[in-house]
Amino acid sequence: RGFELVVDVPASRDTSVWEAGRMQSYFDRQLIFDVQENTTVEEVKVLIERKLGIPAARQKLTAFLRESLGDAGQYIPLQNEKSMADYKMKQHCVSIKFEKSAFDANGDYVFDDAYWDEEGYHPPPMDSWIPLDSVADRARPDAHKVDPVQPLSIASDRAGRKAHG
């Protein structure tokens, strides 16, 4: 029989929702997965990838484990090959903390979105999960036609002044 595993995901641009150049939502998320004792950390990362789009290889998961209510608990970095039973998740897990790693396996920084350098503009990778609308640089060639800092409407009394005076 399985159990529910709670993964806390902090609000970030990576998980925000954008529409027509404007942010629609930006908030912390709690993902809940039904897992088995033999489910590996790597399998949990694949479930998270399906929900968020962030590749499993770029995820860092840390479990907050407590042996009793009187125990202050501890944070344990999770290793891909280990199972939920190896960490006694069913008995001791309060939650899993999610973090996106900014570096690849070689320690090189990974550019998830568009950037400029001395060679010019580099669009985001084709497999980027970050919404293109969220890139704030209005000078980029693929910028959304709607400026996200522009107000949706402007209230003015000019028409009223012209009619009365």
Side-chain angles (χ1 to χ4, degrees):
R1 189 160 171 217
F3 61 98
E4 287 186 345
L5 187 70
V6 178
V7 179
D8 293 327
V9 180
S12 71
R13 192 179 70 149
D14 299 81
T15 60
S16 61
V17 176
W18 290 71
E19 185 178 304
R22 298 192 183 280
M23 185 185 308
Q24 302 300 313
S25 66
Y26 180 89
F27 53 87
D28 294 339
R29 295 174 71 175
Q30 272 196 332
L31 306 178
I32 301 173
F33 299 105
D34 290 322
V35 298
Q36 303 293 324
E37 291 271 1
N38 63 349
T39 302
T40 65
V41 172
E42 182 66 32
E43 291 169 332
V44 171
K45 288 182 175 184
V46 169
L47 294 172
I48 295 169
E49 180 177 0
R50 287 185 195 146
K51 287 275 192 193
L52 302 179
I54 299 173
R58 298 281 307 285
Q59 299 174 27
K60 293 195 295 190
L61 299 179
T62 304
F64 179 55
L65 304 173
R66 285 175 37 171
E67 292 189 22
S68 69
L69 291 176
D71 179 16
Q74 59 183 337
Y75 289 95
I76 306 290
L78 301 181
Q79 298 173 18
N80 287 343
E81 66 281 352
K82 291 199 174 184
S83 72
M84 300 297 106
D86 292 333
Y87 293 106
K88 297 182 179 169
M89 292 287 194
K90 186 173 183 178
Q91 296 83 6
H92 303 301
C93 184
V94 175
S95 69
I96 304 287
K97 305 300 180 191
F98 170 89
E99 184 181 351
K100 180 189 84 171
S101 176
F103 302 93
D104 65 13
N106 299 324
D108 296 326
Y109 184 81
V110 178
F111 289 92
D112 295 323
D113 58 13
Y115 66 95
W116 294 88
D117 66 11
E118 64 277 352
E119 296 174 12
Y121 177 73
H122 300 272
M126 294 300 289
D127 61 350
S128 179
W129 59 89
I130 299 174
L132 192 57
D133 289 355
S134 72
V135 181
D137 184 356
R138 303 300 304 151
R140 71 185 207 279
D142 55 357
H144 197 280
K145 64 183 179 205
V146 175
D147 185 346
V149 297
Q150 176 184 6
L152 289 172
S153 62
I154 299 173
S156 171
D157 63 346
R158 287 187 206 162
R161 278 194 249 161
K162 286 182 183 177
H164 295 95

